[in-house]
Amino acid sequence: MIVNKNAINVIAFDADDTLWVNEPYFQKAEHDFCALLENYLPQHAISKELFETEMNNLSLYGYGVKGFILCMIETASRISAGQLPLKTVNKIIAIGQDLLKMPIELLEGVEDTLVQLSAHYKLIIATKGDLLDQERKLRNSGLQKFFHHVEIMSNKKNEDYVKLLRKIECRPENFMMIGNSINSDILPVLEMGSQAIHVPYHVTWTHEQASAEIKSSNFLQVNSLDQLLSILL
């Protein structure tokens, strides 16, 4: 259970798959990519190759669609032994560009939850991804008015949250993080002594999946965002 909601001044929300749909779009793009190259390898093998490429390049490209596009092209070049036709490269780029143009689909209960919480807490966004793409999504979501601060992070490790709290002048015991990723939104926040609420999403990127049981008095899991209201108000 959450120890003391009265200690919380700042509540941070993850964005992708916490406020709006994201991962299903990436999975659709990956499916289209694998289908495009199935003459070279079975689709499941291409998917595995792509994931390995993404992990190898994470420190270079970070998170987001643009890095994903580069990883698709690199993977395609490798499995085709460098013989990939230019028209196929263009199709891969088009898959990525379609991702960048996807409409924003808010998850159920998001807007009403933010309306009510913003009257009692300072709300911020703390999310990973490409700067321009995340700014576009936030702008198109219509949710920007609820947030005092937006932090688009290159990573979400403990030290990244420490820097964030220093920037917004918030003590760890007065901070809460809400998100769908155990690895990115929950564990680093608990490590620095803050509170965290996990809101699972039905689709999670393999890199963000975690199976360890969390035993912390600062941790709570809910089924949907609208459950936050009975907990925090």
Side-chain angles (χ1 to χ4, degrees):
M1 288 293 295
I2 297 300
V3 174
N4 182 12
K5 69 179 182 182
N6 295 322
I8 301 301
N9 298 326
V10 176
I11 299 178
F13 285 84
D14 175 51
D16 293 335
D17 299 318
T18 298
L19 300 178
W20 53 66
V21 174
N22 181 67
E23 182 58 22
Y25 295 154
F26 271 86
Q27 294 204 355
K28 171 64 165 56
E30 180 174 328
H31 177 270
D32 292 344
F33 169 73
C34 293
L36 184 63
L37 299 173
E38 61 184 352
N39 288 338
Y40 296 100
L41 283 177
Q43 291 192 28
H44 73 274
I46 297 172
S47 182
K48 181 180 178 182
E49 290 285 338
L50 176 60
F51 182 72
E52 290 179 359
T53 305
E54 289 180 282
M55 294 303 97
N56 289 337
N57 288 329
L58 205 51
S59 61
L60 294 174
Y61 302 151
Y63 299 86
V65 178
K66 294 172 187 174
F68 181 64
I69 294 172
L70 291 172
C71 288
M72 286 193 292
I73 293 172
E74 180 181 333
T75 302
S77 177
R78 184 172 66 250
I79 66 177
S80 67
Q83 300 302 308
L84 196 68
L86 182 58
K87 65 179 181 179
T88 304
V89 175
N90 289 334
K91 289 180 180 179
I92 294 171
I93 293 172
I95 290 172
Q97 289 179 337
D98 286 344
L99 260 180
L100 290 168
K101 298 173 185 175
M102 293 302 295
I104 301 304
E105 181 183 348
L106 296 181
L107 296 179
E108 186 175 356
V110 165
E111 188 158 9
D112 183 58
T113 298
L114 295 179
V115 166
Q116 296 196 51
L117 290 181
S118 63
H120 300 272
Y121 300 92
K122 179 180 289 185
L123 305 185
I124 72 170
I125 281 184
T127 192
K128 291 188 297 191
D130 176 79
L131 177 62
L132 291 178
D133 188 35
Q134 294 297 74
E135 287 179 338
R136 174 193 67 83
K137 287 192 281 189
L138 179 58
R139 184 172 58 251
N140 292 345
S141 72
L143 301 177
Q144 196 162 2
K145 60 182 176 290
F146 297 115
F147 298 102
H148 287 78
H149 178 80
V150 176
E151 191 76 9
I152 299 173
M153 308 160 77
S154 58
N155 212 335
K156 279 183 165 180
K157 303 288 188 183
N158 176 267
E159 57 268 25
D160 301 300
Y161 282 104
V162 170
K163 290 178 183 177
L164 171 61
L165 264 60
R166 189 179 301 124
K167 181 182 293 187
I168 63 175
E169 300 181 336
C170 179
R171 298 171 62 86
E173 60 267 29
N174 302 132
F175 179 79
M176 175 185 285
M177 181 70 197
I178 297 172
N180 70 295
S181 169
I182 293 291
N183 286 340
S184 292
D185 302 321
I186 306 302
L187 296 179
V189 172
L190 295 177
E191 185 181 339
M192 69 178 185
S194 299
Q195 300 184 41
I197 297 181
H198 182 221
V199 189
Y201 190 60
H202 69 280
V203 180
T204 304
W205 185 29
T206 304
H207 177 61
E208 298 289 0
Q209 293 175 3
S211 57
E213 182 181 358
I214 299 175
K215 296 181 179 179
S216 171
S217 58
N218 283 348
F219 170 73
L220 185 67
Q221 180 169 300
V222 298
N223 294 323
S224 61
L225 274 182
D226 53 14
Q227 287 184 276
L228 297 175
L229 299 177
S230 62
I231 297 166
L232 295 171
L233 297 182

